[in-house]
Amino acid sequence: AAGMFLRLLSDVQWRAAHPKWRRMTSSQRSTSTTAEPHPVSLPAQAQVVICGGGIMGTSVAYHLSKMGWNDVVLLEQGRLAAGTTRFCAGIVSTARPVSIELKMAHYSNKLYQQLEQETGVQTGYMKTGSISLAQTQDRLISLKRIASSLNVMGIPCEIISPKKVVQLHPLINIHDLVGAMYVPEDALVSSANVSLALATAASRNGVQIHERTSVSHVTVKKGRVTGVETDRGRIQCEYFVNCAGQWAYELGHSGEEPVHIPLHACEHFYILTHPLKEPLSSSLPTVVDPDGRIYIRNWQGGILSGGFEKNPKPIFTEGRNQLEIQNLQEDWDHFGPLLGALLRRMPGLEALQIMQLVNCPESFTPDMRCIMGESPTARGYFVLAGMNSAGISYGGGAGKFLAEWIVNGYPSENVWPLDLKRFGTLQSSRTFLRHRVMEVMPLMCDLKVPRWDFQTGRQLRTSPLYDRLDAQGARWMEKHGFERVKYFVPPGKDLLDLDHSKTFYKPDWFDIVGSEVKCCKEAVCVIDMSSFTKFEISSTGDQALESLQYLFSNDLDVPVGHVVHTGMLNEKGGYENDCSIARLSKRSFFMISPTDQQVHCWAWLKNRLPDDSNLTLEDVTWKYTALNLIGPRAVDVLSELSYAPMTAEHFPSLFCKEMSVGYANGIRVMSITHTGEPGFVLYIPIEYALHVYNEVMNMGQKYGIRNAGYYALRSLRIEKFFAFWGQDLDAFTTPMECGREFQVKLEKGMEFVGQEALLEQKQNGVYKRFTMFILEDHDTDMDLWPWWGEPIFRNGRYVGKTTSSAYSYTLERHVCLGFVHHFDEKTGEELVVTTDFINQGEYEIDIAGQRFQAKAKLYPFSSLFTQRRRKDEVELSGYQRE
Amino acid sequence: FYLTPPQVNSILKANEYSFKVPEFDGKNVSSVLGFDSNQLPANAPIEDRRSAATCLQTRGMLLGVFDGHAGCACAQAVSERLFYYIAVSLLPHETLLEIENAVESGRALLPILQWHKHPNDYFSKEASKLYFNSLRTYWQELIDLNSGETTDVREALINAFKRLDNDISLEAQVGDPNSFLNYLVLRVAFSGATACVAHVDGVDLHIANTGDSRAMLGVQEEDGSWSAVNLSYDHNAQNENEVERVKMEHPKSEEKSLVKQDRLLGLLMPFRAFGDVKFKWSIELQKRVIESGPDQLNDNEYTKFIPPNYYTPPYLTAEPEVIHHKLRPQDKFLVLATDGLWETMHRQDVARIVGEYLTGVHHQQPIAVGGYKVTLGQMHGLLTERRARISSVFEDQNAATHLIRHAVGNNEFGTVDHERLSKMLSLPEELARMYRDDITIIVVQFNSHVIGAYQNEE
């Protein structure tokens, strides 16, 4: 039966292929009786070798060739578009919660629309639109949030009533619906044929395509790709692109230098039916019913319907055991609940005759986002895989970004949320992946609420204080595999269980975090911040200083004991990393950066530091436990514990000193708190962690010390207008755009990366500006809470999106941070954003379609925060120095 | 009087226990995945016992069920002691020496067993010193006997069973200055217990059985269906070989009186057992011990009663019959259970119910649409019906509980009938024994991956 389906979807189009590779492929077909199936030999070398002839591989080839790179070879182990791509349901949907994924899908849609005209290959493109149904108010809110971001991107989209749903699709049972979202431009395609069309165009542009050629491994020398070994010989190349889909993990591990690509396949089922008595129109919209966990599209007069069940079946955990995806078993009992949901949604289909249940494995990733980018360990080794069942939606855009990445060194958009380097080796355990994808696949349909934490694959990296904190009521979240405290539930207080705590409104931890914040403001709190990435750079001579001066924008030639906040910028002046660097001695530096920088920052520095054995870079993240003492009494606790004066005269702000705390010696104390509040971070060699923690808690008692978590930290830093890398800052944001000129030393007597771009911005002005918004008419108890990604409107016009938000317990208002652009009213062209432009607008923030007035500020409130010490005047004054 | 489903569950689950062999690095290297066990009393107090332990100085896991009669004292003693005797029998000479030296010099002893016990499974504190001394005498003899040969599991099991029964008998003859202990050792010796013990080490499964409890292997056939393989023979009147054995051991003149009304000497159901010195000791010995024993013993009509036609003791032995089985990947689980289960359920049903429970799927032919004309509605109806049949499987978290639920509650159609279950469980104490016996079940689940890997090595 599967064979029948294969015939239905493809083959006819093979004849439409360009002669150049029809010769290669058709000859094998016509000579299928002969023993030698490979009449065309492989080239000895190529600039780029792509492995995988599915939608991803062909899209990368297509876009590379469009950009003028045509010394490209695409290798496919079986036949083109014969894997997951062939079985894919072919739904192109732009309704994606992550903005970069939305952009990729939008681009894909536009690309596929004109592909048939461009290539002459029929793609089956049909603009049907899609309807996403909401059975609950919460679901409707999540759809409204997506609708808001689609609208500001110019993608038509509306929230419709159940009545309107029936008009669009007569078969839908609407009695349990509260509303729906209609995206009229979503489309259907034959994904295999889209892939073949892309291959045809690429082939015309000179890309060589070889089927039935397996890559055994990639060779890497001195950290660079040198070639690939195949079952038909070796090809030398500069770039390798792993588009092997669900086999990408194994291919990554096949070489001597493993490339960790954390993805895992799950079986995925959909049914095909015979046509209805009155065949369904091919223009009928696709229906997505996330509460029923299903999607339904029209298919050859009948329907195609699949879904994401609660109990997924992971597959191939132990590795590949077949060449192409053959007919895996149909499992009707497994599909039963989805079939039930289908008939509830379309009861009229009871009498429709079944054609087939298709089992088509899809690969999923640990965080539900796809994987692209360059390997941190092997330069020139690129990856594009792990599409979480949205391969056809992302295919065009993802291929374009990856091609740009190879050709230009970086894509035209910020793709950090998808970057391979967000993962480390720790996410590559098969057990971890198997467990995690079993959670991820059902999440495809689950409500995505703010601050959701994965429940599987936890307690992987922990601080030595984990058990102590846990016993005191800590609730945990995970970042880069590291357990971090969200907040502490006081004894006797009960919070909602996991499922019931899902909300878009005021969360149940509101008062708990409020009291932690209050304690940070009035007394002192301890936050375990051990997860932060910590590197040490040292040298025998001046190499460390010289290299860092070149790689970082601020001046690091400061006296020993000083701490410098600085960006690690790219050539365009954008933040690759935002860190604090302490000068430990003349020749050694201690660098602290965000938790998820561990892989990215390491690769960035390794690739740019001179190859000098006298210069060492060491990752010491695991060696230190970091305790952040926040609050006005931190100074008292610490001076009592160390018998050292800690006042501003002896220990000024942005200072670092090794001291003893309790019995433990050699504790690195820094007068920073990452929040703008007074206090210190203690970097403690891990074996002393428990001792120092106990000492601090004992001594702190009389000062009212308590534990606090990251939610309190976030509230504090956002109300103080502190930007965080990965959240607010990315590779496309410069210090000039977020009011951090003071962290850049343009005239430090030597050149540094990004200097030129920053000078130009200083001259010409910036095109976006990081701004703080205070929500004015927002009711914390009754209104939806902002999260991030909310559109910002200035004088009624869209100007940008928020990047983070928090409730400020001091201001008793919500604070959103985000970027304001200035789009020309007529042309939409981006104009320079001036201080006046920011200050002279009336602002609104759109939360799920509802707009709230907001006051824009370019500087934090300083008068509100009393009890300040000299130190944070220094920290804050930086912002005022414009 | 009617029990609600939660009340039924709380009765059924009161004694349930589960053990999972811990995994390291995501791997379980043991051929045993874990086990579920449970007991449902009919006697008050229950006369069945169960034990499970991991051998720490040798490899392997021990599991056993013990069915007591004439009180629970003997079953209790055997459940505490037998595994130590087995473990010691398996120990290599050097380890025995090391242990003896440690005891001699007052150093800490190497742990021999790691017990996996339900909180209700108790050990008697008072007797531990006495039991330990007997055990020590045993290993001292083993040290002296040092044969230098590697220990054969079959032999070790047989020796351990016989030795323990011998020690039970001796302790009762010698007595104890402490009156409580003295009474205890006599109660142990005068009551009886059967034992069915499994020793699993890699692919080697040994079953040592004494009496009428039973071990059964659940095998999954290639088509997914379940079948049962017996790994023990009941030692009772229904077993011709056993009747033959008993007759062989006694003069022809006794042939008629040996087995009457399917009982040994017309009294005892199991033909092999621990304790039961009334069927082992000479009449003179019995009389002497009872007379010198405490008053409680003298007042007990049962202990004083001498079996009729009692000419050539012993009539009873604790020597087990040992069956060795090499585990195969299709051997998915082992059920050890006292006769309370086997009286009510056929082993084929046991295999199916446990197999389906463990795999979580009722064995039903997978559905394929193939060339048939099936509509979405028909398929939905079919799947809903299949699911309803399965749903009862998921009520229990413990395979043994699940089996007990079926054993007690099954109606004539082989499905659990709540009304029947409720009635059976709410019977007053004195009536319960009329309708059902104590039931004790251990379900051991095997790790097919590990077993498969062992096979490939060989």
Side-chain angles (χ1 to χ4, degrees):
Chain A
M4 173 173 61
F5 182 53
L6 303 192
R7 278 199 307 281
L8 288 167
L9 278 186
S10 72
D11 283 16
V12 185
Q13 280 70 33
W14 284 88
R15 271 158 234 142
H18 187 269
K20 187 163 180 183
W21 59 272
R22 185 168 60 192
R23 197 174 61 236
M24 291 185 260
T25 52
S26 63
S27 58
Q28 5 170 321
R29 211 165 294 159
S30 55
T31 61
S32 58
T33 48
T34 67
E36 175 49 60
H38 298 298
V40 178
S41 61
L42 293 183
Q45 64 181 63
Q47 192 173 13
V48 184
V49 172
I50 301 168
C51 173
I55 182 72
M56 292 302 146
T58 53
S59 178
V60 172
Y62 171 88
H63 286 97
L64 279 174
S65 70
K66 282 255 153 166
M67 294 177 80
W69 282 35
N70 40 32
D71 186 10
V72 176
V73 175
L74 188 153
L75 305 177
E76 161 58 43
Q77 58 168 347
R79 304 234 318 251
L80 279 182
T84 297
T85 299
R86 167 157 305 189
F87 290 100
C88 165
I91 299 167
V92 184
S93 154
T94 45
R96 304 281 162 190
V98 179
S99 126
I100 185 69
E101 293 184 334
L102 193 160
K103 283 176 183 165
M104 293 197 307
H106 184 47
Y107 172 85
S108 302
N109 196 346
K110 288 191 295 186
L111 174 71
Y112 302 159
Q113 190 173 5
Q114 52 83 44
L115 205 55
E116 187 165 328
Q117 201 182 5
E118 181 187 337
T119 61
V121 177
Q122 284 179 15
T123 58
Y125 184 91
M126 175 63 82
K127 193 173 281 180
T128 59
S130 75
I131 313 171
S132 301
L133 309 177
Q135 293 185 26
T136 65
Q137 287 297 340
D138 272 348
R139 177 70 65 185
L140 195 59
I141 291 166
S142 75
L143 293 178
K144 283 176 176 172
R145 290 186 60 96
I146 295 174
S148 288
S149 32
L150 286 173
N151 278 325
V152 298
M153 278 193 64
I155 302 170
C157 167
E158 58 179 316
I159 296 295
I160 58 175
S161 67
K163 269 189 188 162
K164 182 78 194 292
V165 172
V166 183
Q167 288 165 21
L168 290 166
H169 199 308
L171 288 173
I172 297 182
N173 166 23
I174 58 161
H175 78 267
D176 57 348
L177 299 184
V178 297
M181 176 176 72
Y182 178 46
V183 186
E185 292 188 354
D186 276 355
L188 292 178
V189 293
S190 150
S191 36
N193 292 350
V194 164
S195 192
L196 295 177
L198 292 169
T200 303
S203 173
R204 276 181 201 153
N205 289 335
V207 173
Q208 292 189 51
I209 296 171
H210 295 269
E211 297 184 302
R212 299 190 196 283
T213 308
S214 295
V215 174
S216 67
H217 64 273
V218 177
T219 54
V220 176
K221 277 212 182 84
K222 288 187 181 161
R224 271 218 75 105
V225 166
T226 55
V228 299
E229 296 289 347
T230 77
D231 55 352
R232 296 174 55 208
R234 178 181 163 77
I235 307 177
Q236 277 186 10
C237 64
E238 286 173 59
Y239 296 94
F240 174 74
V241 190
N242 181 340
C243 296
Q246 57 195 323
W247 314 125
Y249 174 93
E250 275 183 282
L251 180 57
H253 277 249
S254 62
E256 273 176 41
E257 175 77 56
V259 174
H260 301 288
I261 305 164
L263 54 81
H264 193 295
C266 284
E267 294 181 46
H268 175 62
F269 295 92
Y270 61 79
I271 42 169
L272 299 170
T273 71
H274 289 281
L276 272 72
K277 276 217 179 81
E278 192 179 320
L280 283 185
S281 153
S282 61
S283 61
L284 209 58
T286 297
V287 177
V288 182
D289 181 3
D291 299 305
R293 310 190 152 271
I294 50 164
Y295 58 82
I296 309 154
R297 58 160 281 193
N298 75 70
W299 185 78
Q300 308 213 342
I303 61 151
L304 179 163
S305 173
F308 299 95
E309 62 275 23
K310 276 188 182 158
N311 53 334
K313 295 167 79 177
I315 188 172
F316 305 137
T317 306
E318 279 133 37
R320 146 204 226 129
N321 45 18
Q322 55 178 19
L323 193 63
E324 287 176 34
I325 300 162
Q326 273 135 19
N327 193 17
L328 290 165
Q329 280 197 324
E330 52 188 318
D331 186 342
W332 278 100
D333 289 306
H334 192 70
F335 192 74
L338 299 179
L339 178 58
L342 168 65
L343 288 175
R344 262 197 309 286
R345 189 51 56 215
M346 297 188 179
L349 298 184
E350 287 252 351
L352 187 56
Q353 203 183 316
I354 296 166
M355 179 180 281
Q356 193 193 347
L357 181 66
V358 180
N359 180 356
C360 154
E362 293 272 0
S363 37
F364 294 86
T365 62
D367 58 2
M368 248 190 309
R369 303 197 298 258
C370 72
I371 299 171
M372 64 162 70
E374 192 174 14
S375 153
T377 47
R379 300 203 75 182
Y381 192 122
F382 283 83
V383 178
L384 184 57
M387 291 296 143
N388 298 292
S389 80
I392 196 67
S393 294
Y394 298 153
K400 169 171 166 271
F401 283 148
L402 199 81
E404 288 171 350
W405 204 329
I406 296 171
V407 173
N408 302 331
Y410 203 75
S412 53
E413 296 267 359
N414 169 39
V415 294
W416 171 250
L418 315 178
D419 194 328
L420 171 64
K421 291 196 283 291
R422 72 187 186 275
F423 297 117
T425 52
L426 58 96
Q427 286 93 353
S428 245
S429 137
R430 273 327 251 177
T431 312
F432 168 81
L433 285 170
R434 183 181 169 90
H435 291 179
R436 177 56 68 82
V437 297
M438 287 175 74
E439 179 182 4
V440 159
M441 184 169 152
L443 273 180
M444 306 299 297
C445 287
D446 285 349
L447 209 53
K448 286 164 194 74
V449 295
R451 293 167 284 273
W452 174 252
D453 303 305
F454 289 105
Q455 302 301 310
T456 52
R458 296 290 298 271
Q459 291 181 318
L460 188 51
R461 300 169 72 204
T462 57
S463 148
L465 301 176
Y466 180 88
D467 282 349
R468 276 305 300 276
L469 302 179
D470 198 58
Q472 295 176 78
R475 293 289 182 274
W476 302 89
M477 62 180 182
E478 165 252 358
K479 182 97 178 183
H480 204 68
F482 209 109
E483 294 292 331
R484 312 201 294 185
V485 181
K486 296 193 281 192
Y487 44 80
F488 287 84
V489 180
K493 177 136 183 148
D494 268 342
L495 286 190
L496 298 171
D497 65 53
L498 217 54
D499 273 337
H500 292 103
S501 68
K502 282 188 169 187
T503 180
F504 291 99
Y505 291 90
K506 184 170 126 178
D508 55 352
W509 43 258
F510 181 79
D511 293 328
I512 294 177
V513 173
S515 60
E516 288 177 9
V517 166
K518 189 161 182 281
C519 185
C520 287
K521 293 273 182 191
E522 294 171 358
V524 53
C525 279
V526 186
I527 304 184
D528 184 340
M529 309 233 311
S530 307
S531 70
F532 276 24
T533 300
K534 304 175 263 298
F535 290 168
E536 273 174 11
I537 303 136
S538 54
S539 60
T540 51
D542 286 336
Q543 301 94 322
L545 177 65
E546 280 168 17
S547 310
L548 295 185
Q549 285 286 57
Y550 174 67
L551 290 171
F552 293 84
S553 58
N554 210 341
D555 188 3
L556 289 164
D557 195 3
V558 290
V560 169
H562 280 235
V563 182
V564 177
H565 291 310
T566 177
M568 182 176 87
L569 308 182
N570 55 33
E571 282 71 15
K572 289 181 198 153
Y575 276 101
E576 289 296 333
N577 188 2
D578 182 32
C579 29
S580 309
I581 300 181
R583 188 164 194 182
L584 299 176
S585 73
K586 280 195 91 65
R587 287 164 189 158
S588 69
F589 296 84
F590 183 57
M591 171 180 166
I592 300 138
S593 35
T595 310
D596 48 1
Q597 276 280 356
Q598 198 170 15
V599 177
H600 175 66
C601 182
W602 179 265
W604 181 271
L605 292 175
K606 268 282 163 193
N607 288 338
R608 282 162 184 81
L609 286 173
D611 195 12
D612 180 347
S613 59
N614 293 319
L615 175 67
T616 56
L617 171 67
E618 192 191 353
D619 183 345
V620 294
T621 304
W622 63 274
K623 284 189 180 174
Y624 294 95
T625 298
L627 289 182
N628 194 348
L629 267 63
I630 304 179
R633 310 313 296 264
V635 58
D636 303 302
V637 175
L638 214 52
S639 54
E640 282 210 47
L641 279 175
S642 60
Y643 290 96
M646 300 297 291
T647 53
E649 301 81 66
H650 297 92
F651 208 122
S653 112
L654 291 174
F655 203 67
C656 169
K657 196 151 66 177
E658 284 208 354
M659 11 193 296
S660 62
V661 177
Y663 300 151
N665 213 342
I667 312 297
R668 240 169 239 174
V669 178
M670 291 192 207
S671 44
I672 54 172
T673 62
H674 304 281
T675 58
E677 298 295 327
F680 304 88
V681 181
L682 277 52
Y683 287 92
I684 309 157
I686 51 167
E687 66 264 40
Y688 298 143
L690 194 60
H691 171 74
V692 172
Y693 175 79
N694 288 341
E695 290 288 302
V696 165
M697 292 310 276
N698 282 333
M699 186 58 74
Q701 264 179 358
K702 63 179 173 189
Y703 300 105
I705 200 165
R706 56 176 292 170
N707 291 299
Y710 269 77
Y711 283 10
L713 184 93
R714 203 190 51 203
S715 171
L716 290 168
R717 70 101 180 163
I718 288 176
E719 72 180 14
K720 285 263 166 118
F721 201 10
F722 266 44
F724 260 34
W725 192 91
Q727 187 87 56
D728 310 300
L729 307 179
D730 59 40
F732 287 78
T733 312
T734 72
M736 305 297 180
E737 292 160 350
C738 58
R740 286 189 170 185
E741 297 88 319
F742 70 98
Q743 289 184 4
V744 178
K745 266 286 186 335
L746 284 169
E747 283 87 36
K748 63 176 168 183
M750 67 174 290
E751 201 188 327
F752 62 88
V753 181
Q755 187 180 27
E756 220 169 291
L758 295 185
L759 280 169
E760 195 188 308
Q761 274 196 335
K762 196 179 164 76
Q763 200 92 53
N764 302 336
V766 295
Y767 289 86
K768 63 177 175 184
R769 185 66 209 257
F770 194 50
T771 312
M772 168 164 158
F773 296 94
I774 321 296
L775 295 192
E776 300 275 291
D777 56 349
H778 182 270
D779 185 328
T780 308
D781 292 315
M782 305 301 292
D783 286 325
L784 288 172
W785 274 33
W787 181 4
W788 49 269
E790 289 89 12
I792 303 165
F793 291 89
R794 178 184 176 277
N795 299 343
R797 296 175 57 85
Y798 170 71
V799 289
K801 280 187 178 178
T802 63
T803 51
S804 55
S805 74
Y807 180 79
S808 162
Y809 294 88
T810 322
L811 301 169
E812 297 181 326
R813 284 265 175 281
H814 257 98
V815 176
C816 300
L817 308 181
F819 285 93
V820 172
H821 301 250
H822 185 180
F823 301 109
D824 186 277
E825 296 206 7
K826 295 197 183 75
T827 62
E829 185 196 349
E830 285 204 52
L831 305 175
V832 168
V833 178
T834 60
T835 310
D836 283 348
F837 179 80
I838 300 283
N839 290 336
Q840 288 163 7
E842 297 286 323
Y843 289 89
E844 288 170 308
I845 307 284
D846 174 327
I847 308 175
Q850 195 183 351
R851 292 193 190 179
F852 295 92
Q853 288 169 25
K855 187 186 253 172
K857 291 184 65 70
L858 283 172
Y859 310 103
F861 292 93
S862 44
S863 56
L864 268 170
F865 305 100
T866 50
Q867 284 193 314
R868 278 188 293 114
R869 300 170 56 222
R870 199 182 66 83
K871 91 170 247 335
D872 43 298
E873 277 160 31
V874 177
E875 265 190 358
L876 287 172
S877 68
Y879 287 94
Q880 269 115 35
R881 212 189 306 151
E882 197 175 26
Chain B
F1 186 64
Y2 186 78
L3 295 170
T4 62
Q7 285 171 321
V8 164
N9 281 346
S10 77
I11 294 173
L12 287 180
K13 293 179 182 201
N15 292 316
E16 72 179 14
Y17 177 80
S18 286
F19 174 76
K20 262 189 84 175
V21 175
E23 293 187 5
F24 299 102
D25 301 332
K27 276 188 197 136
N28 181 347
V29 291
S30 164
S31 56
V32 174
L33 277 173
F35 69 85
D36 289 338
S37 76
N38 199 353
Q39 314 187 288
L40 182 69
N43 294 299
I46 185 168
E47 295 180 346
D48 279 5
R49 292 293 184 270
R50 59 183 157 170
S51 292
T54 304
C55 299
L56 295 175
Q57 301 306 324
T58 54
R59 298 185 314 163
M61 197 168 190
L62 286 164
L63 305 114
V65 295
F66 312 99
D67 184 352
H69 48 263
C72 60
C74 185
Q76 173 63 32
V78 174
S79 75
E80 289 178 43
R81 305 175 71 183
L82 180 58
F83 287 8
Y84 279 114
Y85 280 74
I86 297 172
V88 163
S89 310
L90 287 166
L91 288 180
H93 186 68
E94 308 80 61
T95 317
L96 287 172
L97 273 178
E98 203 179 329
I99 290 175
E100 174 58 21
N101 288 338
V103 176
E104 192 61 45
S105 55
R107 280 184 286 120
L109 215 59
L110 286 173
I112 298 174
L113 292 175
Q114 186 193 348
W115 293 94
H116 311 297
K117 288 198 299 187
H118 185 275
N120 292 353
D121 301 340
Y122 63 93
F123 276 11
S124 113
K125 277 208 187 74
E126 296 79 5
S128 65
K129 181 86 184 121
L130 173 77
Y131 291 169
F132 177 80
N133 286 337
S134 298
L135 182 69
R136 185 178 175 193
T137 313
Y138 177 40
W139 82 53
Q140 284 169 337
E141 280 173 34
L142 286 175
I143 290 172
D144 294 343
L145 274 172
N146 178 21
S147 54
E149 287 165 31
T150 48
T151 329
D152 174 65
V153 180
R154 168 190 300 271
E155 224 170 284
L157 286 165
I158 293 173
N159 291 343
F161 272 62
K162 286 164 73 175
R163 176 68 185 211
L164 173 59
D165 194 47
N166 203 42
D167 282 355
I168 288 172
S169 169
L170 270 179
E171 285 155 8
Q173 292 172 41
V174 173
D176 196 284
N178 174 318
S179 65
F180 176 85
L181 280 183
N182 195 37
Y183 183 43
L184 178 72
V185 294
L186 287 166
R187 272 188 301 145
V188 168
F190 277 91
S191 60
T194 71
C196 185
V197 173
H199 178 264
V200 199
D201 176 7
V203 290
D204 290 306
L205 169 65
H206 285 86
I207 303 289
N209 183 49
T210 286
D212 54 3
S213 291
R214 199 182 285 174
M216 183 213 89
L217 194 64
V219 181
Q220 188 163 32
E221 304 295 340
E222 270 178 25
D223 66 357
S225 65
W226 295 94
S227 61
V229 173
N230 271 352
L231 287 183
S232 67
Y233 302 108
D234 299 348
H235 298 141
N236 58 19
Q238 278 73 48
N239 181 344
E240 282 175 28
N241 292 336
E242 197 60 10
V243 175
E244 203 54 39
R245 174 186 66 81
V246 174
K247 289 185 176 166
M248 290 284 287
E249 289 171 1
H250 297 276
K252 198 129 178 80
S253 55
E254 291 184 45
E255 191 163 319
K256 289 229 170 81
S257 59
L258 270 174
V259 181
K260 277 186 171 171
Q261 290 156 353
D262 283 351
R263 287 167 187 252
L264 190 65
L265 298 179
L267 293 170
L268 197 60
M269 292 257 274
F271 279 27
R272 301 191 194 192
F274 282 93
D276 282 328
V277 289
K278 274 153 36 81
F279 297 85
K280 292 175 181 164
W281 288 353
S282 65
I283 297 178
E284 298 72 44
L285 182 57
Q286 292 190 37
K287 282 189 172 150
R288 180 165 59 77
V289 170
I290 291 170
E291 274 161 21
S292 63
D295 297 341
Q296 299 104 311
L297 202 65
N298 269 309
D299 298 343
N300 189 325
E301 288 302 321
Y302 171 76
T303 43
K304 279 203 292 196
F305 171 77
I306 301 290
N309 305 312
Y310 196 82
Y311 309 114
T312 50
Y315 287 89
L316 194 62
T317 174
E319 178 170 336
E321 210 171 351
V322 178
I323 292 182
H324 175 227
H325 175 81
K326 281 249 182 236
L327 287 170
R328 309 155 297 169
Q330 63 266 39
D331 301 333
K332 300 298 182 187
F333 59 89
L334 173 74
V335 178
L336 302 176
T338 53
D339 59 342
L341 174 73
W342 308 112
E343 280 164 10
T344 57
M345 275 184 113
H346 190 267
R347 59 192 162 100
Q348 186 56 42
D349 293 330
V350 171
R352 184 180 50 79
I353 287 167
V354 175
E356 284 168 2
Y357 172 82
L358 291 178
T359 50
V361 178
H362 250 305
H363 176 64
Q364 293 172 319
Q365 287 295 322
I367 307 179
V369 177
Y372 300 105
K373 288 185 176 177
V374 184
T375 69
L376 292 174
Q378 288 166 339
M379 179 60 85
H380 181 54
L382 184 59
L383 295 176
T384 313
E385 192 224 335
R386 282 159 72 92
R387 233 184 358 265
R389 263 184 279 158
I390 294 165
S391 66
S392 71
V393 175
F394 295 107
E395 238 174 309
D396 298 310
Q397 270 91 55
N398 183 303
T401 309
H402 188 64
L403 205 44
I404 292 178
R405 188 187 297 279
H406 276 274
V408 179
N410 262 8
N411 58 19
E412 52 271 43
F413 307 111
T415 54
V416 174
D417 178 343
H418 178 75
E419 206 172 318
R420 183 182 158 86
L421 195 55
S422 164
K423 263 188 203 146
M424 290 293 279
L425 293 178
S426 55
L427 291 172
E429 260 175 32
E430 58 284 6
L431 271 181
R433 186 63 188 87
M434 314 272 290
Y435 288 90
R436 55 188 170 87
D437 194 358
D438 294 338
I439 300 178
T440 298
I441 301 173
I442 299 179
V443 178
V444 188
Q445 207 182 340
F446 296 120
N447 188 336
S448 306
H449 291 290
V450 173
I451 291 169
Y454 270 110
Q455 266 193 341
N456 294 339
E457 273 169 33
E458 281 169 9

